[in-house]
Amino acid sequence: MSMKMSARGRIAATAGLGVAAALSLAACAPPGGSAGTGASSTPLATGTVKVGFIAPLSGPLAAVGAQFQQGWDYYWDQNGFTAGGVTIDVVGVEDDAADTQKATAAAQKLVEQDGAEILVGSIASNTATAISKYAADNEIVNIEPISASNDFTAENANDYTIRAGSQAATQTSYPGGEYAAKELGYKKALTLCTDYSYGWESCAGFAQGFTDNGGTVETQLWQPNGNTDFSALISQVVGSDADVIYFGTAGGAYGPNFLDSYLKAGGDVSKLFFNSSAADVATLQAATKAGYGDQIVGLYSSGYYAEGADAPEAAQEFVTSYLKDNGVIPGQYAAGGYFAASLLAKVFSEKGLVTGPDLVKTIQGFTFPDSIYGSVSWDSKNNQTSPVYIRQVEKHDDGQLYNDVVFTYDAVDQWNGRDEAKVIASHPFDKSNQYVK
Amino acid sequence: MTNPLTRATAVVRPATGLIPSLGGASRDRLTTTLQYVGLAVVLVLLVALPYLGLAPYYVNITTTTLCSALLAASVNFLLGQAGLVSMGQAGISTVAMYGVAWGFKQGWDLGGQLLLALVLTLVVSAIFGIVSMRTSGIYFMMVTLAAGMLVFGLAYSMSSITAADTGISVDRPGDLNSRFNYWQWYYLALAVFIVGTAILWVVSRSPFGASLRGIRDSESRMRSLGYNVAAYKVGAFMISGFVAGMAGVITLWNNKLVTSDSASITNSTLPIIVLVLGGVGTLLGPLVGAIVVTFFSIIMPSFFERWETLLGVVFILVIMFARAGIVGGLGRLYRWIRRRTGGSVRTPDVGTPVPTSNHRTTA
């Protein structure tokens, strides 16, 4: 019986394979397919450009994804979907749930079903890389307004992906280290970042800026990614004799929870220096809500965006009207969405309808002088060159906390004054590889 | 209290099958014919899919479905045949993904990439098998979960090789990168899916598969009969891991990216959700389950943001009303109808005990 059964099994399996192989070999291109490769998408001459938007609207990054989308929507609500003679048609908003498979499917849907010529998004570096790869393979422009991953505007740079709306992680945190060493005169630093690529790169930037300007990083602590309870490390942080404590994490519960534990353990806020997302508006609001808002006034951070006093004029206008309409101060995720929208509108109104690789080239040679980030331009690897603001938390007359600008580093690029090839050769930064060799 | 020996004899179940057994214990001619017809229809549908007038996007979604179905099929083999729930399967598939991706990054040709993936997959499957071979039930789940998390942790921390959560991008083999080649890529993925499923099916039908089912039904009895149960478990893990590696390779090419998140706990539990929905121990269960999960997780979010809630509700409904999954449930429905209409159907769960002489031929 066993013999008979397995023989039958073999026959069926072989038959199945044979059918599949024969059909696929005999296959000619089905409708919509092309037997050749790389048929290019021709830009539309109608004056309408189709844009698809991808953000993590469910899953672990849903909260920041929603802010990102609100910022993006807010620009179009305020200014309409036309710029010069170009109509911007947002063909779809898709959720990637911070998952690469869903990000690829979202990109496929927007491009193949909805005809998008430009993909905007997403946030997490894995989804950003997946979308960037899909876009490059299919000659679709990809604008990355949030992701801070160093790679895709360095060794993995391609002709279709542009970072517009944020900076590389080290690019933003390097001036923080420089400021702490040079202007604040600190000599010894302790760093505490989340134990994954964004944390490694944030800490690497600060450590490099600090040591390049005469400081020494004595201790580097790493918080497991996803763990927002700092009680295990806090005594080491508070008990350290470092002059400055650098804290670099993504947005969310990290910043508020750390501040809470730090203050309860008797830590001194004037010693703290945060990266941009840890000191984002959401952290300040959580601090106010938890009742220790007044204690974090004076907290330093470095960011490519600032919402408080002495921020660029466009940012102040954006913050005022956004606060009036939505009842919340826009943080850097909303700012990223808003910036990407305003950039597209600005480019189309000045340069007319450009799509595909021409759009990328146009943006590369473009300067956006009066953006919410100040004057922004792009380098040859499609990365945003823009000011970095040293910010301090201040309580404004409306009773809310803001990040006020206390110092500005203009036109900061991703190499932070070092040799490009040397920096790329030192990538990727991780916890055992923090410095440029 | 049942005597384990007699109980074991009574529940040696038929081999893995379609609805629910393809050419298994059922000697009912009509049932067998229907099952083969069903399988043929599914196969023809899959092969003809790009020609059915579907938009390319839906063909791509089907490719994604095949990737998760094949990974689920590798879990199905362990669960359906040996009764072992592997919670670390995404760890094995991720290792295969890194093998291909790392080879690609070094500029190796396709053969070299696949060879590295194969070696890594087999080594890691063997390690998984060896650490878990003395366990079963909940302990097996925990050990495989830990092993899967170990792969995740290594992928996360060895960032100079793996690029952690940013990941390594690759090109598809041949010239299949552009979206206009979607159908060639679909056929390649389909071929891998069919080969992988066929391997598992053939092994399930072999004396080796019968011995695994013996272990599933009574480990102590098999041990007392002189079987090296641990070795069988390692062997089963190697076969399952090999297919998981195949699934990893097509998943990698489908997304053109591997990150440490590929080995995350979510990706390891997903095949189990797929299986429970589709039907454990059935040939088409993984595919049907993957279609349902893909529908909810990829097509649904465009219309409805709370897709996770909906998937959860469907999952609960299936567990409450169709514990054998969708495919198994259909099989039961079919038997119920046959009984009502007076056809004679053998009871499904008590198949013919496999003669011991068959076991002898295996070792």
Side-chain angles (χ1 to χ4, degrees), chain A residues 235-260:
Chain A
S235 60
Q236 213 178 333
V237 172
V238 175
S240 138
D241 66 343
D243 305 319
V244 56
I245 292 153
Y246 182 73
F247 180 78
T249 65
Y254 296 104
N257 287 9
F258 173 77
L259 283 171
D260 190 39

PDB file of all heavy atoms in Angstrom, chain A residues 235-260:
ATOM      1  N   SER A 235      20.501  55.202  37.592  1.00  0.00           N
ATOM      2  CA  SER A 235      21.444  55.544  38.663  1.00  0.00           C
ATOM      3  C   SER A 235      22.836  55.770  38.081  1.00  0.00           C
ATOM      4  O   SER A 235      23.582  56.642  38.524  1.00  0.00           O
ATOM      5  CB  SER A 235      21.471  54.441  39.720  1.00  0.00           C
ATOM      6  OG  SER A 235      21.880  53.230  39.130  1.00  0.00           O
ATOM      7  N   GLN A 236      23.171  55.001  37.051  1.00  0.00           N
ATOM      8  CA  GLN A 236      24.458  55.182  36.385  1.00  0.00           C
ATOM      9  C   GLN A 236      24.530  56.550  35.697  1.00  0.00           C
ATOM     10  O   GLN A 236      25.563  57.209  35.689  1.00  0.00           O
ATOM     11  CB  GLN A 236      24.620  54.076  35.345  1.00  0.00           C
ATOM     12  CG  GLN A 236      26.054  53.622  35.158  1.00  0.00           C
ATOM     13  CD  GLN A 236      26.139  52.485  34.147  1.00  0.00           C
ATOM     14  OE1 GLN A 236      25.188  51.722  33.968  1.00  0.00           O
ATOM     15  NE2 GLN A 236      27.257  52.378  33.495  1.00  0.00           N
ATOM     16  N   VAL A 237      23.375  56.966  35.131  1.00  0.00           N
ATOM     17  CA  VAL A 237      23.335  58.251  34.437  1.00  0.00           C
ATOM     18  C   VAL A 237      23.470  59.391  35.439  1.00  0.00           C
ATOM     19  O   VAL A 237      24.308  60.295  35.287  1.00  0.00           O
ATOM     20  CB  VAL A 237      22.018  58.388  33.634  1.00  0.00           C
ATOM     21  CG1 VAL A 237      21.875  59.785  33.067  1.00  0.00           C
ATOM     22  CG2 VAL A 237      21.961  57.348  32.534  1.00  0.00           C
ATOM     23  N   VAL A 238      22.657  59.338  36.481  1.00  0.00           N
ATOM     24  CA  VAL A 238      22.642  60.433  37.451  1.00  0.00           C
ATOM     25  C   VAL A 238      23.949  60.463  38.249  1.00  0.00           C
ATOM     26  O   VAL A 238      24.481  61.523  38.571  1.00  0.00           O
ATOM     27  CB  VAL A 238      21.420  60.298  38.394  1.00  0.00           C
ATOM     28  CG1 VAL A 238      21.454  61.357  39.483  1.00  0.00           C
ATOM     29  CG2 VAL A 238      20.139  60.417  37.595  1.00  0.00           C
ATOM     30  N   GLY A 239      24.502  59.304  38.551  1.00  0.00           N
ATOM     31  CA  GLY A 239      25.710  59.240  39.355  1.00  0.00           C
ATOM     32  C   GLY A 239      26.986  59.545  38.589  1.00  0.00           C
ATOM     33  O   GLY A 239      28.064  59.646  39.178  1.00  0.00           O
ATOM     34  N   SER A 240      26.871  59.682  37.270  1.00  0.00           N
ATOM     35  CA  SER A 240      28.078  59.903  36.464  1.00  0.00           C
ATOM     36  C   SER A 240      28.657  61.304  36.702  1.00  0.00           C
ATOM     37  O   SER A 240      27.938  62.248  37.026  1.00  0.00           O
ATOM     38  CB  SER A 240      27.717  59.725  34.996  1.00  0.00           C
ATOM     39  OG  SER A 240      28.315  60.712  34.209  1.00  0.00           O
ATOM     40  N   ASP A 241      29.999  61.435  36.558  1.00  0.00           N
ATOM     41  CA  ASP A 241      30.613  62.750  36.753  1.00  0.00           C
ATOM     42  C   ASP A 241      30.738  63.514  35.431  1.00  0.00           C
ATOM     43  O   ASP A 241      31.477  64.491  35.333  1.00  0.00           O
ATOM     44  CB  ASP A 241      31.993  62.594  37.426  1.00  0.00           C
ATOM     45  CG  ASP A 241      32.977  61.872  36.524  1.00  0.00           C
ATOM     46  OD1 ASP A 241      32.528  61.222  35.544  1.00  0.00           O
ATOM     47  OD2 ASP A 241      34.196  61.954  36.782  1.00  0.00           O
ATOM     48  N   ALA A 242      30.012  63.046  34.390  1.00  0.00           N
ATOM     49  CA  ALA A 242      30.078  63.721  33.093  1.00  0.00           C
ATOM     50  C   ALA A 242      29.480  65.118  33.190  1.00  0.00           C
ATOM     51  O   ALA A 242      28.581  65.372  33.990  1.00  0.00           O
ATOM     52  CB  ALA A 242      29.337  62.902  32.047  1.00  0.00           C
ATOM     53  N   ASP A 243      30.001  66.037  32.346  1.00  0.00           N
ATOM     54  CA  ASP A 243      29.473  67.407  32.319  1.00  0.00           C
ATOM     55  C   ASP A 243      28.150  67.452  31.579  1.00  0.00           C
ATOM     56  O   ASP A 243      27.278  68.267  31.853  1.00  0.00           O
ATOM     57  CB  ASP A 243      30.442  68.345  31.599  1.00  0.00           C
ATOM     58  CG  ASP A 243      31.827  68.304  32.199  1.00  0.00           C
ATOM     59  OD1 ASP A 243      31.916  68.257  33.433  1.00  0.00           O
ATOM     60  OD2 ASP A 243      32.811  68.307  31.425  1.00  0.00           O
ATOM     61  N   VAL A 244      28.034  66.564  30.550  1.00  0.00           N
ATOM     62  CA  VAL A 244      26.837  66.600  29.711  1.00  0.00           C
ATOM     63  C   VAL A 244      26.366  65.168  29.468  1.00  0.00           C
ATOM     64  O   VAL A 244      27.180  64.256  29.304  1.00  0.00           O
ATOM     65  CB  VAL A 244      27.111  67.348  28.388  1.00  0.00           C
ATOM     66  CG1 VAL A 244      28.274  66.737  27.622  1.00  0.00           C
ATOM     67  CG2 VAL A 244      25.876  67.395  27.502  1.00  0.00           C
ATOM     68  N   ILE A 245      25.054  65.006  29.498  1.00  0.00           N
ATOM     69  CA  ILE A 245      24.451  63.696  29.248  1.00  0.00           C
ATOM     70  C   ILE A 245      23.660  63.801  27.959  1.00  0.00           C
ATOM     71  O   ILE A 245      22.684  64.551  27.877  1.00  0.00           O
ATOM     72  CB  ILE A 245      23.546  63.278  30.410  1.00  0.00           C
ATOM     73  CG1 ILE A 245      24.415  62.999  31.640  1.00  0.00           C
ATOM     74  CG2 ILE A 245      22.716  62.053  30.051  1.00  0.00           C
ATOM     75  CD1 ILE A 245      23.708  63.204  32.929  1.00  0.00           C
ATOM     76  N   TYR A 246      24.117  63.069  26.926  1.00  0.00           N
ATOM     77  CA  TYR A 246      23.422  63.110  25.642  1.00  0.00           C
ATOM     78  C   TYR A 246      22.413  61.988  25.585  1.00  0.00           C
ATOM     79  O   TYR A 246      22.708  60.841  25.902  1.00  0.00           O
ATOM     80  CB  TYR A 246      24.409  62.986  24.480  1.00  0.00           C
ATOM     81  CG  TYR A 246      23.724  63.085  23.140  1.00  0.00           C
ATOM     82  CD1 TYR A 246      23.245  64.318  22.686  1.00  0.00           C
ATOM     83  CD2 TYR A 246      23.531  61.970  22.334  1.00  0.00           C
ATOM     84  CE1 TYR A 246      22.594  64.433  21.479  1.00  0.00           C
ATOM     85  CE2 TYR A 246      22.872  62.077  21.114  1.00  0.00           C
ATOM     86  CZ  TYR A 246      22.412  63.312  20.694  1.00  0.00           C
ATOM     87  OH  TYR A 246      21.760  63.410  19.490  1.00  0.00           O
ATOM     88  N   PHE A 247      21.200  62.328  25.156  1.00  0.00           N
ATOM     89  CA  PHE A 247      20.110  61.358  25.117  1.00  0.00           C
ATOM     90  C   PHE A 247      19.524  61.349  23.706  1.00  0.00           C
ATOM     91  O   PHE A 247      19.035  62.373  23.229  1.00  0.00           O
ATOM     92  CB  PHE A 247      19.051  61.746  26.140  1.00  0.00           C
ATOM     93  CG  PHE A 247      17.863  60.831  26.196  1.00  0.00           C
ATOM     94  CD1 PHE A 247      17.943  59.605  26.857  1.00  0.00           C
ATOM     95  CD2 PHE A 247      16.669  61.181  25.585  1.00  0.00           C
ATOM     96  CE1 PHE A 247      16.848  58.757  26.913  1.00  0.00           C
ATOM     97  CE2 PHE A 247      15.568  60.334  25.634  1.00  0.00           C
ATOM     98  CZ  PHE A 247      15.667  59.121  26.302  1.00  0.00           C
ATOM     99  N   GLY A 248      19.605  60.203  23.018  1.00  0.00           N
ATOM    100  CA  GLY A 248      19.121  60.138  21.638  1.00  0.00           C
ATOM    101  C   GLY A 248      18.216  58.950  21.391  1.00  0.00           C
ATOM    102  O   GLY A 248      18.661  57.804  21.439  1.00  0.00           O
ATOM    103  N   THR A 249      16.944  59.206  21.163  1.00  0.00           N
ATOM    104  CA  THR A 249      15.977  58.135  20.880  1.00  0.00           C
ATOM    105  C   THR A 249      15.007  58.631  19.821  1.00  0.00           C
ATOM    106  O   THR A 249      15.014  59.804  19.464  1.00  0.00           O
ATOM    107  CB  THR A 249      15.147  57.761  22.118  1.00  0.00           C
ATOM    108  OG1 THR A 249      14.341  58.886  22.467  1.00  0.00           O
ATOM    109  CG2 THR A 249      16.009  57.357  23.287  1.00  0.00           C
ATOM    110  N   ALA A 250      14.150  57.724  19.351  1.00  0.00           N
ATOM    111  CA  ALA A 250      13.045  58.141  18.488  1.00  0.00           C
ATOM    112  C   ALA A 250      11.994  58.835  19.346  1.00  0.00           C
ATOM    113  O   ALA A 250      12.105  58.865  20.568  1.00  0.00           O
ATOM    114  CB  ALA A 250      12.455  56.919  17.799  1.00  0.00           C
ATOM    115  N   GLY A 251      10.974  59.383  18.691  1.00  0.00           N
ATOM    116  CA  GLY A 251       9.879  59.999  19.421  1.00  0.00           C
ATOM    117  C   GLY A 251       9.092  58.940  20.184  1.00  0.00           C
ATOM    118  O   GLY A 251       9.452  57.773  20.187  1.00  0.00           O
ATOM    119  N   GLY A 252       8.022  59.361  20.836  1.00  0.00           N
ATOM    120  CA  GLY A 252       7.216  58.398  21.587  1.00  0.00           C
ATOM    121  C   GLY A 252       7.472  58.516  23.075  1.00  0.00           C
ATOM    122  O   GLY A 252       7.746  59.603  23.579  1.00  0.00           O
ATOM    123  N   ALA A 253       7.439  57.385  23.780  1.00  0.00           N
ATOM    124  CA  ALA A 253       7.466  57.406  25.245  1.00  0.00           C
ATOM    125  C   ALA A 253       8.876  57.508  25.825  1.00  0.00           C
ATOM    126  O   ALA A 253       9.038  57.729  27.024  1.00  0.00           O
ATOM    127  CB  ALA A 253       6.781  56.159  25.793  1.00  0.00           C
ATOM    128  N   TYR A 254       9.918  57.359  24.979  1.00  0.00           N
ATOM    129  CA  TYR A 254      11.290  57.372  25.507  1.00  0.00           C
ATOM    130  C   TYR A 254      11.609  58.672  26.247  1.00  0.00           C
ATOM    131  O   TYR A 254      12.047  58.658  27.403  1.00  0.00           O
ATOM    132  CB  TYR A 254      12.302  57.199  24.380  1.00  0.00           C
ATOM    133  CG  TYR A 254      12.244  55.886  23.655  1.00  0.00           C
ATOM    134  CD1 TYR A 254      11.682  55.804  22.392  1.00  0.00           C
ATOM    135  CD2 TYR A 254      12.765  54.731  24.223  1.00  0.00           C
ATOM    136  CE1 TYR A 254      11.633  54.604  21.706  1.00  0.00           C
ATOM    137  CE2 TYR A 254      12.725  53.526  23.548  1.00  0.00           C
ATOM    138  CZ  TYR A 254      12.157  53.465  22.291  1.00  0.00           C
ATOM    139  OH  TYR A 254      12.108  52.274  21.616  1.00  0.00           O
ATOM    140  N   GLY A 255      11.412  59.804  25.564  1.00  0.00           N
ATOM    141  CA  GLY A 255      11.776  61.107  26.128  1.00  0.00           C
ATOM    142  C   GLY A 255      11.083  61.370  27.454  1.00  0.00           C
ATOM    143  O   GLY A 255      11.742  61.590  28.482  1.00  0.00           O
ATOM    144  N   PRO A 256       9.729  61.351  27.479  1.00  0.00           N
ATOM    145  CA  PRO A 256       9.018  61.613  28.728  1.00  0.00           C
ATOM    146  C   PRO A 256       9.413  60.644  29.851  1.00  0.00           C
ATOM    147  O   PRO A 256       9.623  61.070  30.993  1.00  0.00           O
ATOM    148  CB  PRO A 256       7.547  61.418  28.357  1.00  0.00           C
ATOM    149  CG  PRO A 256       7.484  61.589  26.898  1.00  0.00           C
ATOM    150  CD  PRO A 256       8.809  61.201  26.348  1.00  0.00           C
ATOM    151  N   ASN A 257       9.531  59.345  29.537  1.00  0.00           N
ATOM    152  CA  ASN A 257       9.860  58.370  30.584  1.00  0.00           C
ATOM    153  C   ASN A 257      11.252  58.600  31.143  1.00  0.00           C
ATOM    154  O   ASN A 257      11.485  58.486  32.349  1.00  0.00           O
ATOM    155  CB  ASN A 257       9.770  56.944  30.040  1.00  0.00           C
ATOM    156  CG  ASN A 257       8.336  56.512  29.821  1.00  0.00           C
ATOM    157  OD1 ASN A 257       7.427  57.336  29.922  1.00  0.00           O
ATOM    158  ND2 ASN A 257       8.138  55.254  29.519  1.00  0.00           N
ATOM    159  N   PHE A 258      12.200  58.930  30.254  1.00  0.00           N
ATOM    160  CA  PHE A 258      13.552  59.197  30.733  1.00  0.00           C
ATOM    161  C   PHE A 258      13.568  60.416  31.636  1.00  0.00           C
ATOM    162  O   PHE A 258      14.151  60.401  32.732  1.00  0.00           O
ATOM    163  CB  PHE A 258      14.513  59.392  29.558  1.00  0.00           C
ATOM    164  CG  PHE A 258      15.882  59.839  29.982  1.00  0.00           C
ATOM    165  CD1 PHE A 258      16.778  58.922  30.534  1.00  0.00           C
ATOM    166  CD2 PHE A 258      16.266  61.165  29.883  1.00  0.00           C
ATOM    167  CE1 PHE A 258      18.033  59.328  30.959  1.00  0.00           C
ATOM    168  CE2 PHE A 258      17.523  61.575  30.304  1.00  0.00           C
ATOM    169  CZ  PHE A 258      18.404  60.656  30.842  1.00  0.00           C
ATOM    170  N   LEU A 259      12.915  61.492  31.173  1.00  0.00           N
ATOM    171  CA  LEU A 259      12.897  62.725  31.968  1.00  0.00           C
ATOM    172  C   LEU A 259      12.285  62.470  33.347  1.00  0.00           C
ATOM    173  O   LEU A 259      12.795  62.943  34.365  1.00  0.00           O
ATOM    174  CB  LEU A 259      12.101  63.804  31.236  1.00  0.00           C
ATOM    175  CG  LEU A 259      12.839  64.476  30.076  1.00  0.00           C
ATOM    176  CD1 LEU A 259      11.889  65.364  29.277  1.00  0.00           C
ATOM    177  CD2 LEU A 259      14.024  65.294  30.590  1.00  0.00           C
ATOM    178  N   ASP A 260      11.207  61.714  33.343  1.00  0.00           N
ATOM    179  CA  ASP A 260      10.524  61.404  34.592  1.00  0.00           C
ATOM    180  C   ASP A 260      11.468  60.674  35.567  1.00  0.00           C
ATOM    181  O   ASP A 260      11.644  61.091  36.719  1.00  0.00           O
ATOM    182  CB  ASP A 260       9.298  60.540  34.265  1.00  0.00           C
ATOM    183  CG  ASP A 260       8.394  60.378  35.470  1.00  0.00           C
ATOM    184  OD1 ASP A 260       8.241  61.377  36.216  1.00  0.00           O
ATOM    185  OD2 ASP A 260       7.861  59.276  35.676  1.00  0.00           O
TER     186      ASP A 260
END
